[in-house]
Amino acid sequence: MRKSLITVTVSAALMLSACQDNSVADSNMTTQAPASQTASAVNVLLTASSLQDFAPQFDQIKTADFVPAFTQGMAEHKAEIDAIINNSEPASFENTLVALEKSGALLNRTQKAFFTLSGLISDDNFIQIEQDMVPLLTSHNDNIYLDAKLFAKIDAIYQAKSALKDEDLRLIEVYYDQFVRAGAKLNADDKAKMRTLNGELAKLETNFSQNILKSFKDDVILVQDKAQLAGLSADTIASLAAAAKAAGKTGYMITLVNTTAQPLLSSLENRELRQKIWETSAYRAMDTNAPLNIKIAQLRAEKAALLGFKDWASYSVADQMAKTPEAVYGILDDLAPKALAKAKIEALDIQAEIKKDGKDFTLQAWDWAYYGDKVRQAKYDLDENQVKPYFEFNTVLNDGLFFAMNKLYGITITSRNDLPVWHKDVLAYEVFNQDGSSIGLFYLDAYAREGKSGGAWMDELVTQSTLLNTKPVVYNSLNIPKPAAGQPTLMTFDEVSTLFHEFGHGIHGLFSQVKYPSLAGTATPRDFVEFPSQANEDWSVEPQVIANYAKHYQTGEAIPAELLTKVLAAQTFNQGFGTTEYLAAALLDMEWHSIAPGTEIKDVKAFEQQALAKHGLDFDPVPARYKTTYFSHSFGGGYSAGYYAYLWTEVFAADSFAHMDQQGGLTLENGNKYRQTILSKGNSQDLMQDYIDFSGSKPTTDALLKRRGLVN
C-alpha cells in the first residue's frame, strides 16, 4: 500500500498487521522525552535537513520537538497563505498556484517526519501528540480549503485555464477539484457544518487507528504448553518464545497479522488453538471500534450529502479512475460468482481432506489454511518448510529484488550506513542511474515489532520536485516476523511478493520526474497507485530473477528445478479463496459507504452479514479479508470506498506484464519505456493516456483472469 501525507492534508492512516518484539527502546531515534517537555535548544525540524537530499535527521529528532515544530509550521504556513490571499495583484498561476506549491515547507517536513514515525515506532508520547495535533491540523486544513478569497483566486485561474498547458493545466485542474471537493463552494452555514464534520471525523478516525495499534499489543495468544504448537517448525516456535520473553511474558506468544486469516493456521495441528487464534483475529477491537465504525460511516454520509453526493461512495469514487460506484460494483459483482464457484470447489477438496484425516467435522474458517495446505501438498507435493530455506531475506533482497531492478532499469542500489535511521533494523540505501547519477534515497524497515503499525506500505519522506529542486527520499515498511537471535530470516513466498510489491511503490516515487510536488511521485488516484506495485510483484517469479535468488541459505545451492516448478505452479492454488476473501472485503467497504445519510445501524456483525449476503458472498468458510472493526484501509486510512483499487489496478498490472512478456520480458528496453511513460509521470497528465502510451491500448481483464487462475 502507498501511504501519503500531502502538505496541509491531515492523514493518520495506519496499515495493520502483526506487531512483535523489538520495543521502541531499541530505536536509534530519541523517543524518551515526554511530549509535555519543552523542546531542546536545537530542534532540527525547524530548519531544512543538512543531510543529502534533505533526508530527515532521525538521530537528532526528539518527540519533544514535534509540538513546537507543528505550532510554528502552522503559523508560518498561515502567513504564507495570507500573503497569497492578500496579494493585490490579479490572481495568476505564478502568484497563486506556484506560491501554494512552495508554501508550508516546515509544516510539510514536520508532518512527514511525525506521521512516518508514529506508524513505525509509536509509543504513548506519539499517541498523545497525534490526539492533540490532528484537530489543530484539521482546522488548519479547513481554514485553507474553505477560504472564499483564496478559492476566488483559484477559480479565476481555472476559468482561464485554456491559456495553460501540460503540467500547469493539470495542476490547476487538480487544485480546483480539491477545493470544490473540500467544500469551497458551500455557503457560510454549510462551511461551518463541514468544519464540524471534519473535526469529528478526524478524531474518530484517529481513535480507530490507535485502537488497532493497541489491539496488536493486547490481543495476543499466549501458549504455555509447547505440545499445543505441534506442526510449527523449531525456528517458528523459537521466535514465539522470543516474542513472549521480549514482552515480559512466559511461554509462547502469538501475535496477529492485519488480515482475518493468520499465517500460523496453515501449520498448527491443534484445532482448538486454531479456532482460538482465528476468533481472536476475527473479533478483535469489537468493543472499542464497532461504535466508531458506525459513527464514521454515518458522518461520512452526512459530509457527502453536504457536498451534493447521494452517499460517501459516490463522493469518494468521483475523482478516481472508476468515477462511479456503479462501475466499481460492476467489476466486483462480475468477478464474485466466478471466485465463489472456485472457492466452493476448493472447499469440497478440503472437506475430503478432513475426512481423509479421520475427522468428521464440517469445514470452518479456522480449518481452511491447515487442510488447504494438505491439499496443496498432495496436488503439488509442496511443503512450505521445504521452500522457505531458499528464500533467505538478504539473498531475496539483493539477488532478487535489486537484481531485477538492475536488469529492468539499469539502476544500482548501494548501502548508506552513514545515514541515520529510526531503528537499528532499518536499512538505508542510495539509488543510482545506469550513468552513475544519483536518483535518491531509499529506506527499508522490514521487521515487525511492538509500536509499529501492521501490514506493509510505502511513503515519501521527501517528494521529488524540479520546482523545489528536491530528489525523492522514500521508504518501505514490512512486517516480517523477526527470527530468534542468530537465526536467518527465512521468508514465505507471500512475504517475497510483498517485498517486490512495496518496492513497486518505491520506484514509482524514486523515478518521478515532475515539476510540482502535488503531482509528483505516487500522488495519483488510489485506483492507479497500486498498479506499479502490483506489476512489480510479477518480477519475483520471472525465471531469470527467481533462479538468481532462490538459493539455500546454508549451502548456496539453487532451488531444485522440480521444487521451483511446484512453487510456480502452486501460485494459482487457492485463488478461489484468495479472490473471494478480497472481494468480500472490497464489497463490505463499498456497502458501508453506500448508506444514505441518517441510516440507523445498530449491529456491525449484522451489517456485515447482510452486506455479504446481498452480493452472494456469505460463505462462512471464506470470511472477508478484513472485518469491519480492523479494516484500517476503510476506516482509519485513505482507502474508504477504495479497497476495490487493488483489483482495479491488478487489471493494469496483469495486462502490462503480459505486454512486456510479449516484448521480450526482463529487458532495459521494456523497463526504460515503462519508466518513461508510467513511473516518471506521477499525476502530471491523464493516467489512462499514460498507459496507452506504454502499451498501445487500454487494458483488458484477460491477463487478470489467467493470473488468478480463474480461467485456463
Side-chain angles (χ1 to χ4, degrees):
M1 177 186 178
R2 181 257 184 180
K3 187 174 91 169
S4 176
L5 269 168
I6 304 173
T7 303
V8 311
T9 300
V10 180
S11 173
L14 298 175
M15 286 295 296
L16 312 222
S17 189
C19 296
Q20 295 203 349
D21 54 340
N22 299 324
S23 65
V24 174
D26 291 329
S27 171
N28 289 338
M29 202 203 98
T30 306
T31 60
Q32 65 269 28
S36 60
Q37 213 172 45
T38 303
S40 61
V42 178
N43 185 337
V44 297
L45 292 170
L46 299 181
T47 56
S49 172
S50 60
L51 296 177
Q52 178 181 328
D53 299 337
F54 304 107
Q57 296 167 277
F58 291 113
D59 57 337
Q60 298 182 47
I61 298 173
K62 294 175 284 294
T63 47
D65 294 338
F66 282 114
V67 171
F70 271 124
T71 302
Q72 185 171 327
M74 284 186 282
E76 289 185 7
H77 195 215
K78 181 181 184 303
E80 292 166 337
I81 298 297
D82 287 345
I84 295 170
I85 293 171
N86 296 324
N87 189 335
S88 60
E89 296 180 1
S92 70
F93 189 88
E94 287 293 324
N95 69 24
T96 303
L97 272 295
V98 174
L100 284 169
E101 287 294 279
K102 291 181 176 180
S103 70
L106 171 56
L107 181 57
N108 185 50
R109 184 165 62 245
T110 303
Q111 286 192 136
K112 292 276 190 181
F114 177 78
F115 286 107
T116 291
L117 295 173
S118 70
L120 296 167
I121 57 169
S122 184
D123 60 11
D124 290 343
N125 292 324
F126 277 100
I127 291 172
Q128 186 60 55
I129 294 170
E130 187 171 349
Q131 289 177 339
D132 293 342
M133 288 295 106
V134 164
L136 298 177
L137 290 166
T138 302
S139 178
H140 177 75
N141 190 54
D142 286 340
N143 289 340
I144 295 169
Y145 281 103
L146 299 178
D147 188 281
K149 291 182 179 179
L150 180 57
F151 179 64
K153 288 176 176 284
I154 290 172
D155 186 41
I157 300 167
Y158 181 79
Q159 299 306 323
K161 67 178 182 176
S162 59
L164 302 174
K165 61 181 181 179
D166 301 331
E167 203 172 326
D168 291 358
L169 176 60
R170 185 73 164 184
L171 187 67
I172 184 55
E173 290 176 338
V174 167
Y175 261 92
Y176 181 83
D177 188 54
Q178 286 178 345
F179 270 76
V180 171
R181 287 173 59 79
K185 287 188 172 183
L186 298 176
N187 61 40
D189 288 343
D190 285 345
K191 284 183 178 179
K193 292 178 184 177
M194 181 63 70
R195 288 176 184 273
T196 299
L197 286 170
N198 286 341
E200 291 182 35
L201 281 168
K203 181 179 180 180
L204 292 170
E205 290 162 1
T206 298
N207 290 342
F208 177 91
S209 295
Q210 291 178 345
N211 287 341
I212 294 299
L213 193 59
K214 187 174 185 294
S215 173
F216 282 124
K217 183 177 180 179
D218 295 345
D219 293 332
V220 299
I221 299 92
L222 199 61
V223 177
Q224 299 297 337
D225 184 0
K226 185 177 179 180
Q228 292 184 348
L229 302 177
L232 301 184
S233 68
D235 287 345
T236 299
I237 293 173
S239 70
L240 298 180
K245 183 178 180 180
K249 304 178 186 295
T250 58
Y252 307 87
M253 190 172 77
I254 299 170
T255 54
L256 301 177
V257 303
N258 56 322
T259 52
T260 303
Q262 300 296 307
L264 293 185
L265 297 182
S266 65
S267 302
L268 278 170
E269 297 174 7
N270 188 304
R271 189 174 190 243
E272 183 178 343
L273 181 57
R274 291 202 307 268
Q275 181 176 353
K276 183 177 181 180
I277 293 170
W278 187 89
E279 289 179 343
T280 302
S281 173
Y283 306 127
R284 74 185 98 159
M286 182 63 69
D287 292 339
T288 56
N289 273 351
L292 300 184
N293 289 123
I294 293 171
K295 189 63 176 175
I296 288 170
Q298 291 170 334
L299 290 177
R300 285 174 176 169
E302 289 183 38
K303 180 175 175 177
L306 196 60
L307 292 166
F309 293 88
K310 69 175 183 177
D311 51 44
W312 182 261
S314 299
Y315 168 78
S316 183
V317 175
D319 67 339
Q320 303 297 303
M321 296 187 77
K323 301 302 182 187
T324 67
E326 290 74 22
V328 175
Y329 280 119
I331 191 172
L332 298 179
D333 283 330
D334 179 63
L335 193 55
K338 302 181 182 73
L340 184 61
K342 180 144 191 179
K344 288 185 174 181
I345 292 172
E346 293 166 355
L348 291 175
D349 289 341
I350 292 172
Q351 190 68 58
E353 190 65 34
I354 292 171
K355 184 177 181 180
K356 181 180 175 183
D357 195 36
K359 306 295 194 301
D360 62 357
F361 55 78
T362 300
L363 170 65
Q364 300 293 335
W366 49 87
D367 301 314
W368 189 291
Y370 180 73
Y371 285 98
D373 195 58
K374 288 183 177 294
V375 173
R376 181 175 60 86
Q377 290 180 40
K379 283 192 172 185
Y380 302 101
D381 190 22
L382 187 63
D383 184 346
E384 186 71 42
N385 290 325
Q386 289 180 302
V387 176
K388 288 177 69 174
Y390 293 96
F391 298 144
E392 190 275 325
F393 172 76
N394 290 300
T395 305
V396 173
L397 178 66
N398 293 293
D399 298 340
L401 177 62
F402 293 172
F403 169 81
M405 298 301 96
N406 174 260
K407 290 292 183 182
L408 194 59
Y409 304 112
I411 62 174
T412 55
I413 303 170
T414 304
S415 293
R416 286 291 305 271
N417 297 325
D418 58 310
L419 290 173
V421 293
W422 54 88
H423 189 276
K424 61 185 178 64
D425 290 337
V426 176
L427 304 174
Y429 299 91
E430 185 169 3
V431 185
F432 295 92
N433 281 310
Q434 191 172 23
D435 63 5
S437 59
S438 178
I439 298 172
L441 302 175
F442 168 68
Y443 297 82
L444 177 60
D445 188 346
Y447 292 115
R449 58 178 173 268
E450 187 176 319
K452 182 180 182 181
S453 299
W457 68 91
M458 167 271 181
D459 202 1
E460 299 162 355
L461 293 162
V462 179
T463 298
Q464 177 275 330
S465 167
T466 59
L467 175 70
L468 304 180
N469 195 29
T470 53
K471 290 183 178 180
V473 179
V474 309
Y475 75 90
N476 283 170
S477 176
L478 311 177
N479 265 281
I480 300 171
K482 190 172 183 180
Q487 297 299 310
T489 302
L490 303 181
M491 305 172 70
T492 66
F493 197 74
D494 282 345
E495 289 167 343
V496 173
S497 296
T498 300
L499 177 68
F500 276 75
H501 175 105
E502 295 306 331
F503 198 71
H505 286 307
I507 55 175
H508 197 183
L510 286 164
F511 289 163
S512 176
Q513 287 295 309
V514 175
K515 182 176 182 179
Y516 301 114
S518 290
L519 304 178
T522 55
T524 70
R526 58 181 173 255
D527 58 5
F528 185 85
V529 78
E530 295 295 338
F531 157 37
S533 57
Q534 295 198 88
N536 210 54
E537 289 181 38
D538 286 324
W539 298 114
S540 68
V541 296
E542 198 278 338
Q544 186 180 355
V545 176
I546 200 168
N548 202 59
Y549 73 81
K551 298 177 180 178
H552 199 282
Y553 78 99
Q554 291 175 315
T555 67
E557 294 180 0
I559 188 170
E562 182 181 2
L563 182 57
L564 177 57
T565 299
K566 293 175 184 177
V567 171
L568 297 179
Q571 291 312 295
T572 58
F573 175 74
N574 213 34
Q575 280 298 310
F577 176 94
T579 307
T580 300
E581 67 159 2
Y582 165 79
L583 289 170
L587 285 163
L588 191 59
D589 170 42
M590 290 297 294
E591 287 294 340
W592 271 110
H593 294 108
S594 296
I595 65 170
T599 300
E600 184 178 0
I601 301 170
K602 295 182 178 180
D603 186 89
V604 164
K605 288 184 183 179
F607 184 93
E608 289 180 335
Q609 187 67 26
Q610 292 166 6
L612 296 180
K614 176 180 176 181
H615 297 276
L617 291 182
D618 52 337
F619 183 48
D620 288 343
V622 186
R625 183 172 297 175
Y626 301 97
K627 288 177 176 283
T628 302
T629 57
Y630 49 93
F631 201 167
S632 187
H633 293 77
S634 185
F635 288 94
Y639 278 56
S640 58
Y643 191 62
Y644 76 89
Y646 289 93
L647 181 65
W648 187 277
T649 54
E650 192 179 351
V651 172
F652 287 80
D655 190 81
S656 68
F657 192 79
H659 173 75
M660 280 198 259
D661 188 52
Q662 294 170 359
Q663 302 301 316
L666 189 69
T667 67
L668 279 173
E669 290 77 15
N670 273 333
N672 286 336
K673 184 178 182 182
Y674 180 65
R675 176 178 178 177
Q676 180 183 3
T677 56
I678 303 291
L679 298 178
S680 71
K681 299 298 185 183
N683 192 28
S684 63
Q685 59 187 41
D686 180 76
L687 297 171
M688 183 60 79
Q689 188 59 51
D690 284 348
Y691 190 81
I692 294 171
D693 290 344
F694 166 67
S695 70
S697 63
K698 293 182 178 181
T700 70
T701 60
D702 296 346
L704 169 66
L705 295 173
K706 291 179 181 178
R707 187 189 203 201
R708 285 186 170 259
L710 299 178
V711 298
N712 295 325

